[in-house]
Amino acid sequence: MAGASGYAGGELLRLLLAHPDVEIGTLTAGGNAGTRLGEHQPHLAPLADRVLAETTAESLAGHDAVFLALPHGRSAELAAQLGGDTLVIDCGADHRLTDPAAWDRWYGGEHAGHWPYGLPELPGARERLVGASRVAVPGCYPTGISLALFPALVAGLVEPDVVVTAVTGTSGAGKSLKPHLLGAEVMGSLSAYGVGGVHRHTPEIAQNLSAALGSPVSVSFTPVLAPLPRGILASCSAPLADPATDTATVRQAYEKAYAGEPFVRLLGEGQWPTTAQTLGSNLVALQLTVDPDARRLVVVSAIDNLTKGTAGGAVQCMNLALGLPETTGLPTTGVAP
Amino acid sequence: MAGASGYAGGELLRLLLAHPDVEIGTLTAGGNAGTRLGEHQPHLAPLADRVLAETTAESLAGHDAVFLALPHGRSAELAAQLGGDTLVIDCGADHRLTDPAAWDRWYGGEHAGHWPYGLPELPGARERLVGASRVAVPGCYPTGISLALFPALVAGLVEPDVVVTAVTGTSGAGKSLKPHLLGAEVMGSLSAYGVGGVHRHTPEIAQNLSAALGSPVSVSFTPVLAPLPRGILASCSAPLADPATDTATVRQAYEKAYAGEPFVRLLGEGQWPTTAQTLGSNLVALQLTVDPDARRLVVVSAIDNLTKGTAGGAVQCMNLALGLPETTGLPTTGVAP
Amino acid sequence: MAGASGYAGGELLRLLLAHPDVEIGTLTAGGNAGTRLGEHQPHLAPLADRVLAETTAESLAGHDAVFLALPHGRSAELAAQLGGDTLVIDCGADHRLTDPAAWDRWYGGEHAGHWPYGLPELPGARERLVGASRVAVPGCYPTGISLALFPALVAGLVEPDVVVTAVTGTSGAGKSLKPHLLGAEVMGSLSAYGVGGVHRHTPEIAQNLSAALGSPVSVSFTPVLAPLPRGILASCSAPLADPATDTATVRQAYEKAYAGEPFVRLLGEGQWPTTAQTLGSNLVALQLTVDPDARRLVVVSAIDNLTKGTAGGAVQCMNLALGLPETTGLPTTGVAP
Amino acid sequence: MAGASGYAGGELLRLLLAHPDVEIGTLTAGGNAGTRLGEHQPHLAPLADRVLAETTAESLAGHDAVFLALPHGRSAELAAQLGGDTLVIDCGADHRLTDPAAWDRWYGGEHAGHWPYGLPELPGARERLVGASRVAVPGCYPTGISLALFPALVAGLVEPDVVVTAVTGTSGAGKSLKPHLLGAEVMGSLSAYGVGGVHRHTPEIAQNLSAALGSPVSVSFTPVLAPLPRGILASCSAPLADPATDTATVRQAYEKAYAGEPFVRLLGEGQWPTTAQTLGSNLVALQLTVDPDARRLVVVSAIDNLTKGTAGGAVQCMNLALGLPETTGLPTTGVAP
């Protein structure tokens, strides 16, 4: 695995340690190469004495599966040097977008191409992941938001014009040493950022929803930073296509869309999602209601941004790609309170 | 003051202690009558030995101004027993709504009537507060949300169809002994509640915006509970009336609407509000941008729900009603980090 | 299990769900009997629809093992009605103290007697737990503190006169609806409580250390409440018996005391424990140093109060009592960040 | 003021803005020179547009009083260039220690000399501060801890052998960009650091207590980092000189020691300090009890590390040095909840 000293890398290792069919191979890092994993991930006691190698194609060669948890722009070249018989799962952004123009606008530079998109619950996605040798793991926001909205869009219950405000814990920003991520700044404060459609997850959300619907979906997305380490709560709404639509009708569409899905839970009526209930688990918790006055559908989803939002989703895709049962090694209970 | 042992009461006393023209008279409480204030508000050291009286018209009589920080439904009868020469400032909901039918739908029972609405920054509001003998202090959400949105509506820049997700600290729920407000439940978790237009602040927001515009405004409102004691960050958006409208044009409308307002700060371009910057202050921090892809205006506001959102707003109204300078005794700096 | 709707009960169920040799039987509660578990423990998705039975001997009969997670004073009568062939594991305090006078002084009333004490890492404790039919699970503070101190005492390295300040998250107080446990009170604040030796865990710590040493140990214990859901960080010190003792000597004593212990980790030199690294795991993280100026040994331990401090310790004892491998089903990685 | 973009500088400015006799002059910074204060201290709205100058003697010249909020080692040279008719208040460590050998051991290098120590509540300290032209502001820990312990030592009630564990919020570490201070690391975790007497505040605490007693006092000091922005809760204990001493006797000694002190509050019996009650105020909240079993006195103090622990203490000293009433401009109410 590349990027073992970061938050996504740490969560991957936590899950892989508990995975019955995985043996953890080489761990690599960038600036932290040469140091012990225990310095960066003290919670991973069984791996404390592992020394981090340099992130190179050589050090990563010879594994059945390689996870890349790298800053965007780093995965493409590395992946090209890994053989097609190695499963490469990219937790970064490089291979998520299908449209080169979108890549250039949002990230800048040349597009590395797109890989099978690692959100099996989207229409048609699971089939492309079974047996894949390359997987692009979705962004954390797109995971929670796409799953909150596509069933209503696909069922024609809402207009393709969605408004989302998603609140997140600070691990989503990674271990970046930036002043606004310091504990003293974060605790006791709420702040919006990337407002007005400029957050890089915006085109990914639009891509997912548009692909599901088969025609363009407009997305207004506002992310908010809140004082907790993990969790995304997404508040999503869209105008009802027919103002007379009631909650029960929408509920049926979601029950149908998620029948048999092991990691999506539409909560019992009246129970709204909390991020705590998903902490450390691969679950998506959903609830919805129709607002008859505003003539909108409101759907709220909760995930753990590091688990289902990154590392859990990645392991789920690894299971599919390698032909293992999809749920192997993935917790369906949260750690609460 | 009635309700001195609660959070709104505590914040009122903190501000009134620092107010140069106020002498604090009788303090009353419900179940806590007979106990010392210091047991409930240990941060109010100078008042620690004050004993709380019963909340009755008799104990509150004889003051120039009386603040009511009571559960809704309790203010009306009490206020009726206080003479018209006493300024009565109700921090509860009883006298906020103008429409008896809305009162009955959202709160239930008979409407106590409406009083001058204590948000001086709304169009026409300040005039009604100068010299008033009764003031209805707004709810905390309506304060931050109404001020975020009315200038764009009044200027005709957006459609009257707003979508708001507002994230709040837990003091907004008061000192209620409910399981979901326990520290262990709140910390490390985000949760939505009152979704789908059922939160009681929804009609108050709609009332404010509709009154400002002069025609009905549709409001979709989702409140979210986050792990911090104080603060509301409201993410507000509406469709642009003209998709070609740019951010600068909207900015001018807000600069004009808030010119000379001592407590509203439209931040410098590119700087987005944090609740920490408003902590303990009477400020509203605002920022806005146009999302040209989604064709929406997005406005974010931050307030301290207990200060500008309740007690600070109440003191501001007291100043206006009593003919004092509006800003007397009200902090314009936050306590951060 | 009795007490399934509380925090200890929830953590027990989280661990038991992941235990390969356990099938979860009847779940009972007090005031919450008749409701669904999902209302109280939304994170335990697989058990959401279980209905809670009344806590009676009848409802608990017929299981191989019964966990009691009840307020103190409730376990004794119930346990007496459960046959000796049922393993009864009491997470409450009723059967922890060996001295009836101590019970009467600290808890009041008649002593229910003492059961094998469920901290296998204490000298001689494991032997009494293997095959036991009754187990008294230690208090959360005594777990972290006793393990931090006994090796130095037993090795004669320090005087039997220890001073401990332990900082804890708020789940240790249970789901009690008390004002000081409200989120708004807890967040952004630190407070001491039970100061001066009056906390009920004081005699339990003294009992453990005195038993290990074979002579009385004096314990000064101050608990501090901090704004986090889970975790205990104990700062423990004692005067050096010989002021010339160095850190390396003490370290050897701890390495020897904990050789082969699966859940105790003496961290690498210079690395100090954090509670985050133990979150949701059954680990105890330890570090120590000699302060030559103050002539004291300082030992710091970190645990998760709900896991190793309660439910994880209980499952570890169940494994021992039932003859299963001691580590079965118990996480040795924390959930961080 | 030098160091206006840091946490101590920000708190100084917050207090000075509310000080009736102060006009805020030049603001300087190191790496942030040339930027607007509003970028770094968004909560100081009235000063948002001030541009930060370089920290040089020239830019600081010509003021009646200069506050230095700089990293240690930076103050001495700068102060030497400021005339003796300018009051220089150093919030850094350079001039706190009286013993050059202690400076060399704990900080390294040449000692800059010591200035009048800015903790007026210590015996004999206030007299040296009245009219002083140089003041060394104490460290945050030494403030809370020295005031918790000296009255018992001076009264001969305890042995000169104190043990302290103090829990702090993360602003005490300043705006340092270090991984362990990131929000995601801090929230949900407790950690000890500087254990075993190696924290640089240890000799300062020993110096204060030894000077008060007139003979050496041994100090065992363990600092703990907790998830809150501000606040220090110090748990302090020492062996009773006479085991028969009761709490009332100790209480009398503290009442006598602090009679007339405007910023020290010995709480009512049974009420223990919380840091929240001191937030943003210049108060020290104290409580004490005798533990007859452990034969120790336990004293707990709470302060806001940025206010009384740094900036508030500095302003208090400025008042004394300039001949203003000592309490001018200093809040005695906290911001809670």
Side-chain angles (χ1 to χ4, degrees):
Chain A
M1 174 196 305
S5 61
Y7 289 149
E11 184 72 351
L12 274 166
L13 290 172
R14 185 179 74 86
L15 296 173
L16 294 173
L17 275 166
H19 195 294
D21 302 321
V22 167
E23 191 183 347
I24 295 174
T26 304
L27 305 181
T28 80
N32 293 321
T35 62
R36 291 171 50 256
L37 186 71
E39 294 178 35
H40 313 288
Q41 313 281 17
H43 62 298
L44 302 176
L47 299 173
D49 294 326
R50 287 284 194 98
V51 176
L52 300 173
E54 290 279 351
T55 298
T56 63
E58 288 70 34
S59 62
L60 294 168
H63 296 81
D64 298 327
V66 170
F67 291 89
L68 305 178
L70 302 171
H72 78 84
R74 301 278 182 81
S75 306
E77 190 183 348
L78 196 60
Q81 301 176 58
L82 295 169
D85 53 343
T86 299
L87 169 60
V88 182
I89 298 180
D90 185 3
C91 297
D94 291 28
H95 305 92
R96 290 176 191 157
L97 297 184
T98 54
D99 179 2
W103 176 265
D104 185 47
R105 174 178 170 197
W106 297 95
Y107 292 89
E110 201 180 348
H111 187 218
H114 69 96
W115 289 357
Y117 189 75
L119 194 51
E121 296 85 356
L122 285 181
R126 186 170 278 114
E127 292 76 358
R128 285 190 287 270
L129 293 164
V130 175
S133 68
R134 295 291 186 270
V135 176
V137 177
C140 51
Y141 286 120
T143 295
I145 295 166
S146 302
L147 297 183
L149 284 167
F150 91 79
L153 286 161
V154 168
L157 296 169
V158 295
E159 301 291 342
D161 183 11
V162 307
V163 177
V164 177
T165 293
V167 192
T168 187
T170 66
S171 64
K175 278 194 194 175
S176 322
L177 295 178
K178 295 177 183 164
H180 78 285
L181 295 176
L182 286 175
E185 302 288 328
V186 165
M187 294 182 288
S189 194
L190 298 163
S191 55
Y193 68 103
V195 185
V198 303
H199 192 286
R200 283 165 166 169
H201 285 179
T202 311
E204 191 180 335
I205 299 165
Q207 171 179 299
N208 291 347
L209 297 179
S210 300
L213 181 60
S215 60
V217 176
S218 166
V219 175
S220 166
F221 172 48
T222 305
V224 171
L225 198 65
L228 71 169
R230 294 176 173 223
I232 292 178
L233 192 90
S235 163
C236 312
S237 73
L240 292 171
D242 172 357
T245 303
D246 62 8
T247 300
T249 303
V250 185
R251 199 171 169 87
Q252 285 167 8
Y254 278 71
E255 284 170 349
K256 189 175 155 199
Y258 290 126
E261 283 296 347
F263 296 120
V264 181
R265 278 187 64 89
L266 180 61
L267 300 181
E269 288 178 43
Q271 196 166 14
W272 288 86
T274 66
T275 60
Q277 76 188 243
T278 68
L279 191 90
S281 89
N282 206 46
L283 290 182
V284 183
L286 289 178
Q287 187 53 286
L288 56 86
T289 195
V290 161
D291 179 341
D293 294 314
R295 299 183 174 192
R296 295 182 79 90
L297 170 68
V298 187
V299 189
V300 175
S301 71
I303 61 168
D304 183 322
N305 57 301
L306 289 180
T307 321
K308 179 58 179 169
T310 307
V315 172
Q316 186 181 352
C317 292
M318 178 197 76
N319 289 340
L320 286 169
L322 297 179
L324 298 168
E326 186 172 343
T327 59
T328 309
L330 289 167
T332 56
T333 57
V335 181
Chain B
M1 174 196 305
S5 61
Y7 288 148
E11 184 71 352
L12 274 166
L13 291 172
R14 185 179 74 86
L15 296 173
L16 294 173
L17 275 167
H19 195 294
D21 302 320
V22 166
E23 190 183 348
I24 295 174
T26 304
L27 306 181
T28 79
N32 292 322
T35 62
R36 291 169 51 255
L37 186 71
E39 294 178 35
H40 313 288
Q41 313 281 15
H43 62 298
L44 302 176
L47 299 173
D49 294 327
R50 287 286 194 97
V51 175
L52 300 174
E54 289 279 352
T55 299
T56 63
E58 288 71 34
S59 63
L60 295 168
H63 297 82
D64 297 329
V66 170
F67 291 89
L68 306 178
L70 302 171
H72 78 83
R74 299 279 182 80
S75 307
E77 190 183 349
L78 197 60
Q81 301 175 57
L82 295 168
D85 53 343
T86 299
L87 169 60
V88 182
I89 298 180
D90 185 3
C91 296
D94 291 27
H95 305 93
R96 291 176 191 159
L97 297 184
T98 53
D99 179 2
W103 176 266
D104 185 46
R105 174 177 170 198
W106 298 95
Y107 292 89
E110 200 179 348
H111 187 218
H114 70 97
W115 289 356
Y117 189 75
L119 194 50
E121 294 87 356
L122 284 182
R126 185 170 278 114
E127 292 76 358
R128 285 190 286 271
L129 293 164
V130 175
S133 68
R134 295 290 185 271
V135 176
V137 178
C140 50
Y141 286 121
T143 295
I145 295 166
S146 302
L147 297 182
L149 284 167
F150 91 79
L153 286 161
V154 167
L157 296 169
V158 295
E159 301 291 341
D161 183 11
V162 306
V163 177
V164 178
T165 293
V167 192
T168 188
T170 66
S171 64
K175 279 194 193 175
S176 322
L177 294 179
K178 295 176 184 167
H180 78 285
L181 296 176
L182 285 175
E185 302 288 329
V186 165
M187 295 183 289
S189 194
L190 298 163
S191 55
Y193 68 104
V195 186
V198 303
H199 192 286
R200 284 166 166 168
H201 286 179
T202 311
E204 191 179 336
I205 299 165
Q207 170 180 300
N208 291 346
L209 297 179
S210 301
L213 181 60
S215 60
V217 176
S218 167
V219 175
S220 167
F221 172 48
T222 305
V224 171
L225 198 65
L228 70 170
R230 293 176 175 225
I232 292 177
L233 192 90
S235 163
C236 312
S237 74
L240 293 171
D242 172 358
T245 303
D246 62 7
T247 300
T249 303
V250 185
R251 199 170 168 88
Q252 286 167 7
Y254 278 71
E255 284 170 349
K256 188 175 156 199
Y258 290 126
E261 283 297 346
F263 297 120
V264 181
R265 278 187 64 89
L266 181 60
L267 300 182
E269 289 178 43
Q271 196 166 15
W272 287 86
T274 66
T275 60
Q277 77 188 242
T278 67
L279 190 90
S281 89
N282 206 46
L283 289 181
V284 183
L286 289 178
Q287 187 53 285
L288 56 85
T289 195
V290 161
D291 179 342
D293 293 315
R295 301 184 174 190
R296 297 182 77 90
L297 170 68
V298 187
V299 189
V300 175
S301 71
I303 61 167
D304 183 323
N305 58 300
L306 289 181
T307 320
K308 178 59 180 169
T310 306
V315 172
Q316 186 180 353
C317 293
M318 178 198 76
N319 288 341
L320 286 169
L322 296 180
L324 299 168
E326 186 173 342
T327 59
T328 309
L330 288 168
T332 56
T333 57
V335 181
Chain C
M1 174 197 304
S5 60
Y7 288 148
E11 185 71 351
L12 273 167
L13 291 172
R14 185 179 74 87
L15 296 172
L16 294 173
L17 275 167
H19 195 293
D21 301 321
V22 167
E23 190 183 348
I24 295 175
T26 303
L27 306 180
T28 79
N32 292 323
T35 62
R36 292 169 51 254
L37 186 70
E39 293 177 35
H40 313 288
Q41 313 280 15
H43 61 299
L44 302 176
L47 298 173
D49 294 327
R50 287 284 195 100
V51 176
L52 300 173
E54 290 279 350
T55 298
T56 63
E58 289 70 35
S59 62
L60 295 168
H63 297 82
D64 298 328
V66 170
F67 292 89
L68 306 178
L70 302 171
H72 79 81
R74 301 279 182 80
S75 307
E77 190 184 349
L78 196 60
Q81 301 174 58
L82 295 168
D85 53 344
T86 299
L87 169 61
V88 181
I89 298 180
D90 185 3
C91 297
D94 291 27
H95 304 93
R96 293 176 189 159
L97 297 183
T98 54
D99 179 2
W103 176 266
D104 185 46
R105 174 177 169 197
W106 297 95
Y107 291 89
E110 200 180 349
H111 187 218
H114 70 96
W115 288 357
Y117 190 75
L119 194 51
E121 295 85 357
L122 285 181
R126 185 170 279 114
E127 293 76 356
R128 286 191 286 271
L129 293 164
V130 175
S133 69
R134 295 290 184 270
V135 175
V137 177
C140 50
Y141 286 120
T143 295
I145 295 165
S146 303
L147 297 182
L149 284 167
F150 91 80
L153 286 161
V154 168
L157 297 168
V158 295
E159 302 291 343
D161 183 11
V162 306
V163 177
V164 179
T165 293
V167 192
T168 189
T170 65
S171 64
K175 278 195 194 174
S176 321
L177 295 179
K178 295 175 184 166
H180 78 285
L181 296 176
L182 286 175
E185 302 288 328
V186 166
M187 294 183 289
S189 194
L190 298 163
S191 56
Y193 68 104
V195 185
V198 302
H199 192 285
R200 284 166 165 168
H201 286 178
T202 311
E204 190 180 336
I205 299 165
Q207 170 180 299
N208 291 346
L209 297 178
S210 301
L213 182 59
S215 61
V217 175
S218 166
V219 175
S220 167
F221 172 48
T222 305
V224 171
L225 198 65
L228 70 170
R230 294 176 174 224
I232 291 177
L233 193 91
S235 163
C236 312
S237 74
L240 292 170
D242 174 357
T245 303
D246 62 8
T247 300
T249 303
V250 185
R251 198 170 170 88
Q252 285 167 8
Y254 278 71
E255 284 170 349
K256 189 174 156 200
Y258 290 125
E261 283 295 348
F263 296 119
V264 182
R265 278 186 66 88
L266 181 60
L267 300 182
E269 288 178 45
Q271 194 165 15
W272 288 86
T274 65
T275 59
Q277 77 189 240
T278 67
L279 190 89
S281 89
N282 206 46
L283 290 181
V284 183
L286 289 177
Q287 187 53 285
L288 56 85
T289 195
V290 161
D291 178 343
D293 295 314
R295 300 184 174 190
R296 296 182 77 90
L297 170 67
V298 187
V299 190
V300 175
S301 70
I303 62 167
D304 183 322
N305 58 301
L306 289 181
T307 320
K308 179 59 178 169
T310 306
V315 171
Q316 186 180 353
C317 292
M318 178 198 75
N319 288 341
L320 287 168
L322 296 180
L324 298 168
E326 186 173 341
T327 58
T328 310
L330 289 167
T332 56
T333 56
V335 180
Chain D
M1 173 197 306
S5 61
Y7 289 148
E11 184 71 352
L12 273 166
L13 291 172
R14 185 179 74 87
L15 296 173
L16 294 173
L17 274 167
H19 195 293
D21 302 320
V22 167
E23 190 183 347
I24 296 174
T26 303
L27 306 181
T28 80
N32 292 322
T35 62
R36 293 168 50 253
L37 186 70
E39 294 178 35
H40 313 288
Q41 312 281 16
H43 62 298
L44 302 175
L47 299 172
D49 293 327
R50 287 285 195 98
V51 175
L52 300 174
E54 290 279 351
T55 298
T56 64
E58 289 70 36
S59 62
L60 294 168
H63 297 82
D64 298 328
V66 170
F67 292 89
L68 306 178
L70 302 171
H72 78 83
R74 302 277 182 81
S75 306
E77 190 185 348
L78 196 62
Q81 302 175 57
L82 295 169
D85 53 343
T86 298
L87 169 61
V88 182
I89 298 180
D90 186 2
C91 297
D94 291 27
H95 304 93
R96 292 176 190 160
L97 296 183
T98 55
D99 179 2
W103 176 266
D104 186 47
R105 174 177 170 198
W106 297 95
Y107 292 89
E110 199 180 350
H111 187 218
H114 69 96
W115 288 356
Y117 189 75
L119 194 50
E121 295 85 356
L122 284 182
R126 185 171 279 113
E127 292 76 356
R128 286 190 287 270
L129 293 164
V130 175
S133 69
R134 294 291 185 268
V135 175
V137 178
C140 51
Y141 286 121
T143 295
I145 295 166
S146 303
L147 298 183
L149 283 167
F150 92 79
L153 286 160
V154 168
L157 296 169
V158 295
E159 301 291 343
D161 183 11
V162 306
V163 178
V164 178
T165 293
V167 192
T168 188
T170 65
S171 64
K175 278 195 195 175
S176 321
L177 294 179
K178 295 176 183 166
H180 78 284
L181 296 176
L182 286 176
E185 302 288 329
V186 166
M187 295 182 288
S189 195
L190 298 163
S191 56
Y193 68 103
V195 185
V198 303
H199 193 284
R200 285 166 166 168
H201 286 178
T202 311
E204 191 179 336
I205 299 165
Q207 171 180 298
N208 291 346
L209 297 179
S210 301
L213 181 61
S215 61
V217 176
S218 166
V219 175
S220 166
F221 172 48
T222 305
V224 172
L225 197 65
L228 70 170
R230 296 176 172 223
I232 292 178
L233 192 91
S235 163
C236 312
S237 74
L240 292 170
D242 174 357
T245 303
D246 62 7
T247 300
T249 303
V250 185
R251 198 169 169 89
Q252 285 167 8
Y254 278 71
E255 284 170 348
K256 189 174 157 200
Y258 290 126
E261 283 296 347
F263 296 120
V264 182
R265 277 186 65 87
L266 181 60
L267 300 182
E269 289 178 44
Q271 194 166 15
W272 288 86
T274 66
T275 60
Q277 76 188 242
T278 67
L279 190 90
S281 89
N282 206 47
L283 290 181
V284 183
L286 290 177
Q287 187 54 284
L288 56 84
T289 195
V290 162
D291 179 342
D293 294 315
R295 299 182 175 192
R296 296 183 78 90
L297 170 67
V298 187
V299 189
V300 175
S301 71
I303 62 167
D304 183 322
N305 59 300
L306 289 181
T307 320
K308 178 61 178 168
T310 307
V315 172
Q316 187 181 352
C317 293
M318 179 197 75
N319 288 341
L320 286 168
L322 296 180
L324 298 168
E326 187 173 342
T327 58
T328 309
L330 289 167
T332 55
T333 56
V335 180

